[in-house]
């Protein structure tokens, strides 16, 4: 898959989600991810530190971006997920697909790819 962006340029893009971006649903978040993919990102870090919780359609959006990044040899990383989002990732098994970094004061969450926290 060719993106038209020279290798090494924008290999990793950080997308910060906050209540303003999610105020009208996921459309703005999808555009941010889409823009990162159009720029040739192989790895997208989604910063969730400012988001209280996510609904399951957001996870579907992350999976969409992950499939494209994976084809380029990368993936999607979720950074700073709250306890509710971490629980949803664990219940759905998506903690095995999406890499999860850090968290915000949760117990029994997930950290890193395939590494549950006890």
């Amino acid at each position: 898959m060719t993106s038209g962006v020279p290798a090494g340029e924008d290999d990793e893009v950080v997308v910060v989600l906050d209540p303003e971006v999610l105020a009208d649903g996921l459309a703005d978040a999808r555009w941010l991810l889409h823009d990162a993919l159009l720029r040739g990102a192989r790895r997208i870090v989604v910063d969730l530190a400012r988001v209280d919780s996510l609904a399951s359609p957001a996870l579907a959006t992350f999976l969409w971006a992950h499939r494209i990044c994976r084809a380029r040899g990368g993936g999607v990383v979720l950074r700073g997920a709250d306890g509710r989002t971490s629980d949803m990732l664990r219940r759905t098994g998506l903690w095995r697909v999406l890499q999860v970094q850090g968290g915000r004061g949760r117990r029994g969450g997930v950290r890193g790819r395939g590494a549950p926290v006890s």
Side-chain angles (χ1 to χ4, degrees), residues 17-117:
L17 296 186
D18 59 31
E20 276 185 38
V21 171
L22 298 173
D24 293 325
L26 289 173
D28 290 339
R30 284 185 185 122
W31 277 112
L32 290 172
L33 292 169
H34 186 256
D35 184 49
L37 292 168
L38 284 176
R39 291 190 339 222
R42 289 191 317 177
R43 183 172 189 228
I44 299 176
V45 177
V46 182
D47 187 339
L48 301 171
R50 296 182 180 113
V51 178
D52 290 332
S53 65
L54 290 174
S56 54
L59 295 179
T61 299
F62 300 151
L63 283 173
W64 162 76
H66 179 75
R67 280 193 298 272
I68 295 168
C69 288
R70 191 75 178 151
R72 297 174 179 174
V76 170
V77 177
L78 303 180
R79 181 182 294 159
D82 69 338
R84 188 178 296 174
T85 301
S86 295
D87 289 343
M88 188 179 350
L89 290 167
R90 190 174 38 258
R91 282 192 316 272
T92 59
L94 290 176
W95 62 272
R96 292 183 171 134
V97 177
L98 300 171
Q99 185 178 357
V100 181
Q101 290 180 348
R104 294 180 289 168
R106 64 182 189 275
R107 293 176 59 192
V110 291
R111 177 177 42 215
R113 183 185 303 258
V117 176

